[in-house]
Every structure is written in C-alpha cells, then in structure tokens.
C-alpha cells in the first residue's frame, strides 16, 4: 500500500513512507554536520592487472558511520548529496583527503601507479569544478597523470555541459573512465568523442558470468566495444576464480573485487597491498 488518493485527490502516505522521508531528513542533517566536522572516512580498494600479480591502481571509496544512524551506505548518502547539493563539499573533501593520502604513499615509495576517485556528474555542473581540481592539485603537489576520475554512465547523456569540463580534465592529464558500464542507456557514440580511456564493467554483469548466455554476451560485447575504441576495461566485483578466468580469456585488462581484495582503511591497504619499497 504505497500511496492512496481519495476522491478529492488528497494523498495518504503509509507509515513506511513517512519513516523513509524522516530518515532522509535525518541523513541530510547529519551528513551536513559530518562533512563540516570532517567525520567521513575513506577506504581504499586495490585494482589489479589480470594476472593478479601487481596492483595497478587504488580506488578511494567514501565511508560514513553516523553516531545516530550507524553505517550509512555510500549509494544512499551520495544520492541524497547529489539531490541537495552537499555533493560539492563532499566531493571536495574526498579529493583533498585522497590526494593527501596518496601523496604520502608516494613519498614513502609505496603508492600504486594510479589513484581512482568517483566523481558525480553533478560536480561538473559547477563552473569552477575544474579550477577547484587544479587548485587541489597545486596545493597537494599530486601529479594529475596519476589520477583517474570515474563517472557513472549517465555522464555520457549529459553531454552539453559535461564536454568542456571533461576536456579540461583531460588536458590536465587526468584519465577519465566510465563506472558501472552497461547498466545505463547512454549514447555509445559519445564514448568515441569524449576523452574517455577506460570502461568499468558493472559488478552486476560480472556476478552473472557463467549463469546465463545473455549475460556472458553482454560482457563480451562491452569488451568488444572497448577493443574497437581502444579503451581499457576493468571488471568490478570479481569474486570467483571462474569469473576471473572468463574475463582474462575475453581480454579484460584489470580486475577489482573481493577475490583480490576488499576496500579497507588506509593502514590496512598499506599493510596488505602496498608496493614494496624499491
Ligand atoms: P563504485 O564506484 O562502482 O565502487 C565499487 C563498489 O563495489 C564499492 O562499493 C565496493 O566496495 C564494491 N565492491 C568491490 N568489489 C566487490 C565485490 O567483489 N563484491 C561486492 N559485492 N562488492 C564489491 P561502495 O564502497 O559501497 O560504493 C558504492 C558506490 O558509491 C560506488 O560504486 C560509487 O558509485 C559510490 N561512491 C563511493 N564513494 C564515492 C565518492 O567518494 N564519491 C562519489 N561521487 N561516489 C562514491
Ligand atoms: Mg568507482
Ligand atoms: Mg564501479
């Protein structure tokens, strides 16, 4: 029983819907505070080349444990932050924190080659976004060539205001990739015209490998599109050896997933995945 209208058109909401709306309001209030207090955290997940022997990158993933709400999933609070504009300070915090962490790993000689960050298409709407990235690059001293920005597939549809920003990031030397590839209905032609260098096959397709033909065909098609356009491909959510074998045989370039390593805090990342000092 979701929403019921009476004859005059008044709407009645169920108790669950009221609870959901209340929870959302609480998340908004607490998230604003968490960002201001610097109470968010970052976790880091390794990205491997397909033999599994070397870490080629690390993805920073935001984490939030609220005193009142407990752990809130990033999918949930990032979506809310995108709706209410908090994504701008949140994204800025993630960038500064991730850059700083990565720079300290580089100074210690233990950084992987690439730092990947998730950037919301909403962040590109701010005309000063590229300038703010450039300012953070200057402030932290990170090399833009070691950065990769992951955008959800919808960025391919929002092309009008997105193009100049993506091109400016590309000119800075930052690599751009499409996250969750295959889940949207975006115009593939834009893959060719935008400065995209990598596709991230969505976890939902990787988890379906071997379970049905249609799914395997989608994975092969994504790899085929990538090969045709000269793009690299990373498979996300690789959890089993069978998935890894299939993807390796089909020409996938990189893996990320629990088979190789979950997202962990900075210290654990260093302990488990850091390149040994040379
Ligand atoms: P994503 O960018 O596609 O990140 C990969 C997600 O898959 C992460 O979830 C990661 O923990 C999870 N994952 C990786 N390997 C496996 C696996 O083998 N099995 C399973 N079941 N899961 C795996 P997480 O950290 O919950 O993040 C969810 C999404 O939230 C991210 O998806 C990204 O879209 C968004 N997100 C996370 N951090 C940020 C951020 O700092 N900014 C923005 N804008 N979005 C973020
Ligand atoms: Mg990502
Ligand atoms: Mg992804």
């Amino acid at each position: 029983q979701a929403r019921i209208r009476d004859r005059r058109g008044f709407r009645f909401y169920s108790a669950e819907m009221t609870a959901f709306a209340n929870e959302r309001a609480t998340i908004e209030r607490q998230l604003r505070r968490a960002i201001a207090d610097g109470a968010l955290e970052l976790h880091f997940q390794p990205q491997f080349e397909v033999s599994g022997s070397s870490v080629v990158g690390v993805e920073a993933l935001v984490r939030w444990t609220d005193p009142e709400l407990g752990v809130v999933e990033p999918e949930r609070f990032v979506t809310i932050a995108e709706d209410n504009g908090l994504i701008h300070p949140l994204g800025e915090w993630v960038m500064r924190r991730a850059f700083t962490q990565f720079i300290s790993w580089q100074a210690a000689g233990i950084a992987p080659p690439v730092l990947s960050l998730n950037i919301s298409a909403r962040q590109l709407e701010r005309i000063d976004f590229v300038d703010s990235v450039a300012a953070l690059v200057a402030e932290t001293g990170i090399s833009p060539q070691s950065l990769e920005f992951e955008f959800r597939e919808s960025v391919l549809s929002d092309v009008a205001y997105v193009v100049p920003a993506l091109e400016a990031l590309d000119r800075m030397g930052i690599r751009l990739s499409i996250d969750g590839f295959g889940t949207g209905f975006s115009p593939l032609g834009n893959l060719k015209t935008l400065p995209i260098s990598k596709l991230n096959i969505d976890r939902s397709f990787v988890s379906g490998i071997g379970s049905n033909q249609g799914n395997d065909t989608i994975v092969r098609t994504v790899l085929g599109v990538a090969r045709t356009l000269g793009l690299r491909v990373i498979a996300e959510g690789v959890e089993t050896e069978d998935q890894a074998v299939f993807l390796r045989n089909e020409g996938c370039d990189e893996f990320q997933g629990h088979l190789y390593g979950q997202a962990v805090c900075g210290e654990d990342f260093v302990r488990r995945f850091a390149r040994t000092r040379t």
Side-chain angles (χ1 to χ4, degrees):
Q1 133 246 23
R3 188 165 72 183
I4 307 157
R5 272 170 194 275
D6 76 2
R7 267 173 297 161
R8 289 161 302 171
F10 287 115
R11 289 178 292 188
F12 296 91
Y13 294 89
S14 69
E16 296 101 88
M17 287 185 74
T18 310
F20 193 77
N22 284 341
E23 193 210 27
R24 191 184 166 101
T26 311
I27 290 178
E28 289 197 20
R29 184 182 72 240
Q30 295 292 92
L31 181 60
R32 182 167 285 117
R33 180 185 297 175
I35 294 167
D37 295 351
L40 301 175
E41 285 170 273
L42 283 187
H43 273 188
F44 299 90
Q45 188 176 28
Q47 301 174 323
F48 284 83
E49 51 85 34
V50 288
S51 75
S53 61
S54 62
V55 177
V56 290
V58 53
E59 179 173 13
L61 295 157
V62 69
R63 294 288 179 263
W64 177 32
T65 306
D66 180 71
E68 213 174 292
L69 298 158
V71 172
V72 187
E73 292 301 320
E75 305 256 17
R76 178 102 171 96
F77 70 82
V78 167
T79 308
I80 292 174
E82 286 176 336
D83 289 346
N84 66 14
L86 280 177
I87 193 65
H88 301 291
L90 187 154
E92 174 100 8
W93 181 89
V94 167
M95 263 193 281
R96 174 171 282 109
R97 185 82 193 70
F99 288 9
T100 310
Q101 177 67 271
F102 192 75
I103 279 287
S104 80
W105 289 339
Q106 281 187 328
I110 55 171
V114 173
L115 170 67
S116 258
L117 295 183
N118 295 287
I119 306 290
S120 162
R122 301 299 308 264
Q123 291 176 261
L124 301 180
E125 286 174 11
R126 282 262 171 111
I127 49 165
D128 63 352
F129 176 74
V130 175
D131 288 342
S132 74
V133 174
L136 269 179
V137 163
E139 178 189 320
T140 57
I142 200 167
S143 147
Q145 283 74 23
S146 59
L147 289 173
E148 182 168 301
F149 284 180
E150 304 185 0
F151 293 93
R152 304 294 300 180
E153 200 182 331
S154 63
V155 85
L156 297 173
S157 316
D158 291 337
V159 163
Y161 72 88
V162 151
V163 172
L166 294 185
E167 286 176 345
L169 294 170
D170 178 57
R171 276 195 303 275
M172 282 174 67
I174 297 174
R175 263 164 291 181
L176 310 176
S177 70
I178 301 297
D179 216 350
F181 191 77
T183 53
F185 298 91
S186 44
L188 290 185
N190 292 333
L191 272 183
K192 210 171 51 184
T193 51
L194 291 171
I196 303 295
S197 61
K198 190 164 150 192
L199 302 180
N200 305 14
I201 301 188
D202 195 65
R203 193 165 84 217
S204 58
F205 300 118
V206 173
S207 68
I209 286 173
S211 66
N212 74 70
Q213 270 291 221
N215 184 86
D216 292 3
T217 306
I218 292 172
V219 175
R220 285 200 186 90
T221 305
V222 172
L223 287 161
V225 167
R227 204 171 301 126
T228 308
L229 297 175
L231 306 175
R232 292 178 66 76
V233 178
I234 182 165
E236 295 196 328
V238 180
E239 294 182 348
T240 70
E241 199 54 56
D242 286 351
Q243 292 164 355
V245 168
F246 177 92
L247 289 159
R248 213 177 276 129
N249 289 340
E250 296 295 333
C252 191
D253 302 291
E254 296 172 19
F255 291 153
Q256 179 174 349
H258 293 174
L259 182 63
Y260 296 91
Q262 300 193 15
V264 291
C265 70
E267 292 97 84
D268 288 347
F269 183 83
V270 168
R271 203 170 307 128
R272 296 175 50 193
F273 307 112
R275 193 162 72 180
T276 45
R277 190 188 275 275
T278 44

